[in-house]
Amino acid sequence: MDMSKMDKLVSLCKRRGFIFQSSEIYGGLNGFWDYGPLGVELKRNIKEAWWQDMVRNPPPGPDGQEISMVGVDCSIIMNPKVWVASGHVGGFADPMIDDKETKQRFRADQLHVLVAMPLSDYQALPEGARHGSPPQSYGSLLDHCKFLASSLESSQYCEWTPGAKLADGFRVVKNSHGTGMRNDPESFGSYKFVVELEHRPSKAVWRGAVATAHEDIYARLAELPSPFSGKRGVLTEPRAFNLMFQTYVGAVQSEENVAYLRPETAQGIFVNFQNVVDSSRMKLPFGIAQVGKAFRNEINPRNYTFRSREFEQMEIEFFCNPAESMKWYQYWRDLRKAWYTQLGIKSDNLRPREQGKEELAHYSIGTTDIEYLFPFSEEPQELEGVAHRGAYDLTQHATHSGKDMRYFDEEAWERDKAARGTNSFKEWLKTNPAKEEIEKYSFVPHVIEPSAGADRFTLAVLCEAYAEEEVKGDVRTVMRFHPRLAPIKAAILPLVNKEGMPDIAQKIYRDLKKSFNVFYDDKGAVGRRYRRMDEAGTPYCLTVDGQTLQDQTVTIRDRDTLQQDRVAIKELESVLRTRLQ
RNA sequence: GCGGGCGUAAUUCAGUGGUAGAAUGCUAGCUUCCCAAGCUGGACGUCGCCGGUUCGAAUCCGGUCGCCCGCUCCA
């Protein structure tokens, strides 16, 4: 037998009831998984450890101060405008085009087809529609695309290679790997037309732009040269890859009541920002946390539960004064890494990785991925992203909802108002103070977002825990969970099924299960029962033996060292409590 | 979505056209005072699903679903 560690782990998870394939008896469903009796305990323990350590009892802040944290639990389906504001409606629905020959795939909106047009027409384009800067609004974007499409009739497509020979008056200004689009109309002066074909593999500023006009432009895809080979006739029709799960609210399925299952829990926090401030007397800095399901229609779920279409997030949005935001960013980045280490993830396998500038989302000032080296990959994979999101989200929601998302710093105003010569902030505003001065008191908070994957961490814990070792010529498979996370905390075992041992063991079991998830087992030889508990990752086994009958003590076996100590029955609860911390 | 591989018991696998197997696990009883021991029994598979070829299909063919690997994707 030569199975990889990952194969053996997957097998154990199925066999012992950690993880099952969703709806397995019907052939499963790609990208969906169920947690079995042991898995659900493990995942609950993980979520509860997170809530306890981040929300109820977070460690002190960078200056030793108490951290203020509260939770919310938001609906999965929200007003669809939320997802317009967050950018998911525009950014998450990506039609893709394949190059049939080279098997390359790219987002349709990364195929830029700029068509010939007279210079005067170019100059007549709205400012935002000219190359180089993103259109200011969705509307102008649409207009721009339509305009391009309507001029297709008079267009001529360039060949792939820059400098390729074209008809008089045409030239190629860029190739696929060019950077920055030519935005200087003067340079077009000596040419009647400018023709350009571009494929931009990097994150495009014009996301969705051309996609919105695909009926017009994509009708001519067959004539377009492939950005990879320059060959015509190898591009497929764009196919929609809608990464948001869509549904309908109400019984009538019409365009007006389309809604989405949330692709992240974060937006529920942002839209409730003012509610929490108003209802809970929260003062900056403070955080709002949420644990919950999120849904993404991944193109290709892979690697066991790692990339699932339904998954659970543990997210914090930490709101702070912009002036202090970098301090808090560093605080959360370090704290989140330390948390994983604390729960038994070896630092060798844990890689914090600062994202490069070119990787960052356009709104992010900095992002650190906390990555884990899973056995299924040679590259570390993301467990959590700690992102400095600036004021982006609250500003977006302020713009789209028309609601004020600013925070008023009463303490700062109380401190300074005498110097400002008035008690009323509103009165002071009438004196037309400088913007920077106003923003000392009233501003949109910056946000630090530690966003962790509950299922990903559960998988990391499983991978990290799996171990095989040789004991007296036999292979022992043991899940070395941190005791806080272990699904079963202790097993209670009568050494043999006679002399009243089962009765004593049952009584111990009934007492302990009020406080811990414990397991009673009297089936088979005790060695076999120990091994069964090793596979379940149970840190302690309590065994009732002959001596128990004499002195009311039992043995307590340590999963990792196999050492046994004697403990009085009446002290079991406190001993366990200590050892399980 | 593409290419390749695979799908038989709870698990890991054997079985290439003729009555579905092994090991482990599970289970009942005996034994057993400490690490998958032993003995004697037992249960468990419409061979992923649908269709076709054939007298006859786990086996051949087509489709489909799922899993794995590589691309691709992962605001």
Side-chain angles (χ1 to χ4, degrees):
Chain A
M1 190 172 359
D2 185 29
M3 289 168 71
S4 74
K5 175 180 168 181
M6 201 60 207
D7 287 341
K8 286 194 271 196
L9 175 64
V10 169
S11 167
L12 182 143
C13 284
K14 169 79 194 292
R15 194 160 43 80
R16 292 307 308 259
F18 282 99
I19 294 171
F20 306 125
Q21 199 183 0
S22 163
S23 33
E24 189 190 357
I25 62 169
Y26 290 102
L29 188 60
N30 194 351
F32 296 90
W33 300 90
D34 296 340
Y35 288 88
L38 289 181
V40 68
E41 294 290 342
L42 176 64
K43 192 173 157 188
R44 279 178 71 96
N45 292 341
I46 283 171
K47 289 188 286 183
E48 277 164 19
W50 184 87
W51 194 266
Q52 175 63 26
D53 295 349
M54 297 298 125
V55 183
R56 293 190 171 148
N57 183 35
D63 304 322
Q65 70 272 49
E66 286 286 311
I67 303 272
S68 182
M69 296 287 300
V70 292
V72 292
D73 186 351
C74 306
S75 65
I76 285 172
I77 296 175
M78 304 172 73
N79 187 311
K81 289 175 189 164
V82 168
W83 307 112
V84 176
S86 69
H88 287 85
V89 166
F92 241 49
D94 295 336
M96 309 289 289
I97 294 173
D98 287 333
D99 177 331
K100 285 180 281 194
E101 202 174 61
T102 64
K103 304 299 179 198
Q104 301 263 21
R105 164 176 301 162
F106 52 94
R107 285 204 306 262
D109 61 349
Q110 288 181 348
L111 181 70
H112 288 262
V113 182
L114 301 191
V115 298
M117 69 181 77
L119 180 57
S120 57
D121 286 351
Y122 175 84
Q123 285 167 332
L125 285 177
E127 181 66 31
R130 289 190 203 159
H131 315 165
S133 62
Q136 291 306 300
S137 72
Y138 208 59
S140 69
L141 216 160
L142 274 173
D143 289 343
H144 177 52
C145 291
K146 277 182 193 147
F147 182 79
L148 292 180
S150 68
S151 16
L152 275 171
E153 288 313 312
S154 57
S155 72
Q156 176 172 342
Y157 296 100
C158 69
E159 291 300 336
W160 177 234
T161 318
K165 207 138 172 61
L166 297 174
D168 282 346
F170 293 84
R171 68 168 179 169
V172 177
V173 296
K174 272 175 60 182
N175 71 3
S176 64
H177 303 295
T179 54
M181 301 180 75
R182 187 165 297 220
N183 60 0
D184 171 19
E186 296 312 313
S187 66
F188 299 168
S190 56
Y191 296 92
K192 195 178 172 195
F193 296 107
V194 175
V195 180
E196 176 171 317
L197 170 66
E198 185 196 16
H199 170 246
R200 301 215 299 178
S202 62
K203 282 171 183 152
V205 179
W206 284 18
R207 292 186 58 79
V210 179
T212 56
H214 64 261
E215 299 89 351
D216 306 316
I217 289 180
Y218 296 154
R220 304 180 71 118
L221 265 178
E223 304 166 24
L224 292 179
S226 161
F228 302 98
S229 63
K231 208 167 160 181
R232 294 169 196 273
V234 297
L235 298 181
T236 63
E237 290 290 299
R239 282 166 291 199
F241 288 76
N242 196 335
L243 297 192
M244 276 209 289
F245 277 91
Q246 197 175 299
T247 187
Y248 300 92
V249 174
V252 179
Q253 304 199 347
S254 66
E255 278 303 307
E256 296 92 74
N257 53 20
V258 165
Y260 305 96
L261 309 191
R262 65 183 176 200
E264 62 175 29
T265 58
Q267 299 304 325
I269 296 177
F270 290 125
V271 302
N272 277 303
F273 170 70
Q274 289 293 10
N275 281 339
V276 172
V277 169
D278 294 345
S279 64
S280 310
R281 302 167 56 224
M282 303 308 286
K283 300 279 178 284
L284 245 51
F286 71 94
I288 307 179
Q290 172 162 222
V291 176
K293 287 279 179 87
F295 304 81
R296 292 184 193 178
N297 223 339
E298 297 289 353
I299 293 171
N300 194 355
R302 273 290 164 86
N303 291 327
Y304 203 29
T305 61
F306 182 80
R307 178 164 295 132
S308 299
R309 289 181 164 137
E310 174 177 343
F311 56 99
E312 199 151 14
Q313 293 185 301
M314 306 186 292
E315 285 199 307
I316 295 167
E317 305 300 335
F318 193 82
F319 301 94
C320 60
N321 191 306
E324 298 185 331
S325 62
M326 285 313 286
K327 186 173 80 178
W328 286 108
Y329 171 57
Q330 287 158 8
Y331 167 79
W332 282 106
R333 186 191 59 195
D334 298 344
L335 173 59
R336 290 303 305 150
K337 181 182 181 248
W339 189 75
Y340 290 112
T341 310
Q342 233 173 60
L343 289 175
I345 304 292
K346 287 187 211 78
S347 46
D348 288 3
N349 293 335
L350 205 59
R351 315 276 170 85
R353 192 179 62 85
E354 193 85 22
Q355 280 193 8
K357 284 247 156 43
E358 69 289 346
E359 273 182 281
L360 291 176
H362 59 280
Y363 49 76
S364 184
I365 295 164
T367 295
T368 297
D369 286 340
I370 298 174
E371 298 184 324
Y372 176 74
L373 193 61
F374 285 94
F376 55 72
S377 167
E378 287 177 14
E379 295 293 313
Q381 305 283 330
E382 182 181 348
L383 278 186
E384 169 159 356
V386 180
H388 186 320
R389 298 177 68 99
Y392 176 77
D393 301 276
L394 290 179
T395 305
Q396 283 296 106
H397 286 301
T399 307
H400 283 78
S401 69
K403 300 288 192 298
D404 193 354
M405 292 288 172
R406 281 173 298 184
Y407 174 84
F408 183 67
D409 189 338
E410 296 190 45
E411 282 174 30
W413 176 248
E414 287 298 317
R415 189 186 59 222
D416 293 356
K417 67 184 182 184
R420 301 297 187 187
T422 169
N423 276 339
S424 161
F425 182 68
K426 268 189 181 169
E427 284 300 314
W428 177 63
L429 284 184
K430 286 178 186 165
T431 68
N432 282 327
K435 192 164 169 257
E436 303 82 64
E437 291 298 302
I438 297 174
E439 285 177 352
K440 284 181 180 167
Y441 311 108
S442 174
F443 54 87
V444 177
H446 275 200
V447 174
I448 311 303
E449 177 189 82
S451 170
D455 303 271
R456 286 184 174 188
F457 183 45
T458 303
L459 182 58
V461 165
L462 284 165
C463 292
E464 189 79 15
Y466 186 91
E468 290 173 356
E469 60 179 34
E470 208 173 293
V471 178
K472 294 181 183 165
D474 234 342
V475 174
R476 181 173 83 117
T477 302
V478 53
M479 299 297 285
R480 298 190 197 277
F481 297 125
H482 187 286
R484 269 184 89 185
L485 304 182
I488 300 171
K489 303 304 183 190
I492 296 100
L493 318 168
L495 186 59
V496 291
N497 279 314
K498 56 184 187 186
E499 292 170 35
M501 291 180 197
D503 291 342
I504 298 171
Q506 290 249 9
K507 183 173 184 314
I508 293 171
Y509 167 69
R510 282 194 296 270
D511 285 345
L512 288 177
K513 77 175 182 178
K514 294 169 193 162
S515 312
F516 310 104
N517 191 37
V518 290
F519 187 77
Y520 176 84
D521 191 3
D522 61 8
K523 295 286 187 284
V526 74
R528 181 182 304 262
R529 285 177 272 161
Y530 286 146
R531 296 298 176 84
R532 277 198 286 250
M533 284 297 110
D534 290 340
E535 272 192 349
T538 305
Y540 300 107
C541 289
L542 312 175
T543 306
V544 173
D545 60 8
Q547 194 178 328
T548 308
L549 309 174
Q550 313 301 318
D551 65 2
Q552 301 296 302
T553 63
V554 297
T555 61
I556 179 166
R557 167 195 185 261
D558 184 287
R559 175 195 66 200
D560 299 331
T561 65
L562 302 184
Q563 276 222 302
Q564 289 182 297
D565 306 321
R566 293 207 77 88
V567 176
I569 292 173
K570 61 181 180 191
E571 285 167 15
L572 274 177
E573 182 172 345
S574 69
V575 167
L576 273 181
R577 199 169 293 286
T578 308
R579 292 208 187 191
L580 288 172
Q581 275 170 3

